[in-house]
């Protein structure tokens, strides 16, 4: 089946940032077959893009997709991770909520143009099931944490779940299992090394929260270390490492991550909403560390849209370094698409080029905020939002058409999730005082 997308402003995101202003793109067998300007080839289906911006799908480098039921809960509450997130997860989180939350989150991500995401949470096999059902690419890791957690009493249990996921999805089109220890202080050194050994055994990525929390930074400072120097001493800093957040990096940390070939999942929205700080991404980028953007879970970043992350990234970095010229818009769009694909080590993804995967998003430019359009990259970073996404394809299959999911709809997903949420809501009531507390 050949599908022709015509009348599009195509941003290929290749090395030269090639654009086709009145472009067409042909997909066949899940890939881009051809693209260009002028006379378009024949196809079985023709889709008019209405002059919108067609670009590679966004890659979300860090999420806890299933955490939809936590959205807006205690958003302004300090230390909420230990005060109620962990306890509530232990008490009321279920396999069913993971599955239904993941389906809802995948819908939200597809509708915002995301075609691949990296995820860590509990019952991750359910997230994998949702990815396959909905045609979303997931790099998925069962959270390994040294405390009792949903689905696993011990970190060894979680590691066993990680390994069964690796075996179950060894050759999947949609799911690439990864290893996901929770963080630098929530997982013991011994378990971190076991995680690394498993990542090496199965030749996959390892992702964890690092250089994020104030108490984490204090913990290592008291020992004359940084989280990065600690991870390096354990052998975790290497090309398999996708370090999440990395807000508090020293120059030595940046040099270490660059030397070891590690990557960063930068989550500007989650970082600044929690008041944690602005990561030194100019310096990390200059050192050559591959990076892309993560939304974090709905509990931390609220929206699962990389449009929000791109704009926050731009304003935070320009402000931090007092430099308007820093990170031009097209570099930011690159980080959100191709940069994310590179950080995950994805092949044939992140660029619109013949032979590459037809994972792509069409952003409509009808809204007033998107006129006039001198610079499409700038429009994407500073003017566009998830609601502008008109069409999304993964592997050449239309997942979003005219701004709506083509296989299911949001009301149905929402209804299913709401039906499963009452016990969770009841458990959350116990933390009502905490949720409303403004002071520690
Ligand atoms: Zn996270």
């Amino acid at each position: 089946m050949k599908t022709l997308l015509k009348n599009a402003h195509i941003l290929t995101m290749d090395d030269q940032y090639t654009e086709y202003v009145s472009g067409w793109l042909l997909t066949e067998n899940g890939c881009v077959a051809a693209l260009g300007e002028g006379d378009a080839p024949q196809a079985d289906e023709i889709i008019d893009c209405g002059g919108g911006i067609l670009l590679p799908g966004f890659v979300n480098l860090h999420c806890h997709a299933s955490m939809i039921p936590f959205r807006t809960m205690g958003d302004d509450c300090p230390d909420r991770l230990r005060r109620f997130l962990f306890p509530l997860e232990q008490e009321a989180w279920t396999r069913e909520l993971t599955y239904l939350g993941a389906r809802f989150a995948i819908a939200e991500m597809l509708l915002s143009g995301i075609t691949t995401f990296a995820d860590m949470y509990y019952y991750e096999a359910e997230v994998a099931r949702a990815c396959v059902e909905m045609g979303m690419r997931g790099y998925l890791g069962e959270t390994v944490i040294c405390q009792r957690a949903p689905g696993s009493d011990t970190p060894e249990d979680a590691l066993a779940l990680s390994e069964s996921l690796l075996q179950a999805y060894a050759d999947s089109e949609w799911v690439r299992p990864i290893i996901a220890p929770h963080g630098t202080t929530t997982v013991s050194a011994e378990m971190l090394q076991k995680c690394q050994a498993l990542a090496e055994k199965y030749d996959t990525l390892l992702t964890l929260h690092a250089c994020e929390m104030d108490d984490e930074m204090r913990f290592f400072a008291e020992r004359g270390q940084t989280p990065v120097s600690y991870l390096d001493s354990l052998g975790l800093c290497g090309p398999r490492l996708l370090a999440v957040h990395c807000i508090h990096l020293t120059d030595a940390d940046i040099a270490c991550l660059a030397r070891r070939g590690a990557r960063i999942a930068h989550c500007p929205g989650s970082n600044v909403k929690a008041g944690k700080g602005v990561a030194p991404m100019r310096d990390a980028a200059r050192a050559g560390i591959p990076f892309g953007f993560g939304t974090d879970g709905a509990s931390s970043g609220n929206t699962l849209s990389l449009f929000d992350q791109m704009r926050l990234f731009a304003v935070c970095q320009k402000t931090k370094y007092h430099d308007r010229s820093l990170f031009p818009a097209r570099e930011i769009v690159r980080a959100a698409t191709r940069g994310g694909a590179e950080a995950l080590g994805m092949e044939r993804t992140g660029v619109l080029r013949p032979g590459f995967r037809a994972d792509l998003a069409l952003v409509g430019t009808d809204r007033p905020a998107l006129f006039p359009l001198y610079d499409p990259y700038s429009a994407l970073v500073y003017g566009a939002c998830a609601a502008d996404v008109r069409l999304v394809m993964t592997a050449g299959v239309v997942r979003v058409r005219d701004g709506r999911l083509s296989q299911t709809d949001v009301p149905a997903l929402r209804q299913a999730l709401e039906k499963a949420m009452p016990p969770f809501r009841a458990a959350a009531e116990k933390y009502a005082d905490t949720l409303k507390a403004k002071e520690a």
Side-chain angles (χ1 to χ4, degrees):
M1 159 110 175
K2 292 182 181 178
T3 303
L4 180 73
L5 306 176
K6 66 168 195 180
N7 190 20
H9 187 148
I10 300 175
L11 310 180
T12 63
M13 304 315 293
D14 65 9
D15 291 345
Q16 293 74 40
Y17 289 96
T18 303
E19 293 177 39
Y20 300 104
V21 175
S22 300
W24 53 262
L25 182 147
L26 185 74
T27 70
E28 188 177 16
N29 298 327
C31 294
V32 176
L35 73 170
E37 263 170 329
D39 291 341
Q42 298 293 315
D44 305 300
E45 185 188 13
I46 297 173
I47 298 172
D48 191 323
C49 295
I53 301 168
L54 188 66
L55 77 167
F58 293 106
V59 177
N60 181 1
L61 282 184
H62 181 67
C63 198
H64 313 283
S66 300
M67 289 184 83
I68 297 293
F70 286 92
R71 179 146 49 198
T72 75
M73 190 185 284
D75 266 344
D76 305 317
C77 175
D79 194 26
R80 60 201 195 120
L81 181 67
R82 286 184 175 77
R83 286 174 70 177
F84 73 88
L85 283 184
F86 279 158
L88 190 50
E89 282 175 341
Q90 286 181 356
E91 184 179 334
W93 196 256
T94 65
R95 179 180 292 278
E96 186 187 27
L97 285 174
T98 299
Y99 172 68
L100 296 172
R103 281 180 59 88
F104 190 94
I106 289 169
E108 184 179 346
M109 286 192 269
L110 285 171
L111 287 165
S112 74
I114 292 169
T115 51
T116 299
F117 73 110
D119 197 69
M120 64 153 86
Y121 207 51
Y122 312 106
Y123 302 113
E124 200 68 19
E126 300 299 322
V127 184
R129 183 154 72 100
C131 282
V132 173
E133 287 170 357
M134 299 176 77
M136 169 66 103
R137 297 189 202 281
Y139 280 59
L140 313 178
E142 181 80 18
T143 299
V144 177
I145 189 165
C146 288
Q147 64 188 30
R148 194 169 66 79
S152 54
D153 288 334
T154 67
E156 282 81 7
D157 293 347
L159 212 56
L161 290 172
S162 308
E163 186 150 21
S164 54
L165 202 63
L166 282 157
Q167 289 166 352
Y169 288 94
D171 301 307
S172 170
E173 163 86 23
W174 304 109
V175 175
R176 180 82 204 263
I178 59 175
I179 309 300
H182 181 270
T184 60
T185 57
T186 46
V187 183
S188 69
E190 186 198 352
M191 278 314 297
L192 284 173
Q193 287 180 312
K194 283 187 181 172
C195 286
Q196 178 69 13
L198 195 61
E200 279 167 20
K201 180 178 169 188
Y202 286 91
D203 189 21
T204 192
L205 293 174
L206 180 146
T207 191
L208 85 171
H209 301 104
C211 311
E212 178 194 8
M213 314 287 275
D214 289 347
D215 60 359
E216 175 195 12
M217 301 313 295
R218 266 196 305 277
F219 176 88
F220 287 107
E222 284 164 7
R223 289 156 180 77
Q225 289 178 308
T226 67
V228 170
S229 72
Y230 169 71
L231 290 173
D232 197 38
S233 74
L234 297 179
L236 266 73
C237 284
R240 293 187 193 291
L241 178 64
L242 177 65
V244 183
H245 296 296
C246 293
I247 301 165
H248 310 290
L249 293 175
T250 64
D251 290 346
D253 291 338
I254 290 171
C256 173
L257 292 172
R259 194 169 58 243
R260 301 288 192 216
R263 306 103 194 266
I264 293 176
H266 177 51
C267 307
S270 159
N271 296 349
V272 299
K273 176 188 161 203
K276 286 171 183 160
V278 176
M281 294 311 294
R282 179 195 70 179
D283 305 338
R286 282 184 182 167
I289 300 172
F291 75 95
F293 304 126
T295 60
D296 216 338
S299 170
S300 306
N302 296 67
T303 74
L304 306 185
S305 161
L306 286 191
F307 290 99
D308 298 333
Q309 304 308 318
M310 289 196 294
R311 192 168 319 153
L312 283 163
F313 174 78
V315 300
C316 288
Q317 294 298 314
K318 286 169 192 285
T319 302
K320 178 181 175 73
Y321 293 102
H322 206 69
D323 180 358
R324 188 184 187 108
S325 69
L326 187 61
F327 289 116
R330 72 179 193 178
E331 286 181 23
I332 298 175
V333 175
R334 187 195 188 285
T337 53
R338 182 177 176 180
E342 288 172 350
L344 291 175
M346 297 180 82
E347 290 176 357
R348 299 183 300 111
T349 311
V351 180
L352 298 182
R353 173 187 297 165
F356 275 49
R357 284 170 168 159
D359 290 5
L360 46 83
L362 172 70
V363 181
T365 51
D366 307 330
R367 268 197 315 121
L370 298 171
F371 176 84
L373 199 77
Y374 300 115
D375 180 342
Y377 301 100
S378 187
L380 290 171
V381 173
Y382 297 109
C385 66
D388 295 316
V389 172
R390 310 310 307 156
L391 178 107
V392 176
M393 275 184 172
T394 60
V397 177
V398 176
R399 310 293 174 182
V400 173
R401 190 189 293 265
D402 300 326
R404 290 168 182 269
L405 294 167
S406 35
Q407 288 152 324
T408 179
D409 63 10
V410 173
L413 295 168
R414 178 171 163 163
Q415 203 179 23
L417 191 51
E418 272 189 348
K419 220 172 132 191
M421 277 177 59
F424 174 85
R425 279 189 205 272
E429 280 301 308
K430 269 192 289 188
Y431 301 93
D433 290 346
T434 310
L435 301 184
K436 288 180 188 129
K438 298 289 182 212
E439 300 293 330

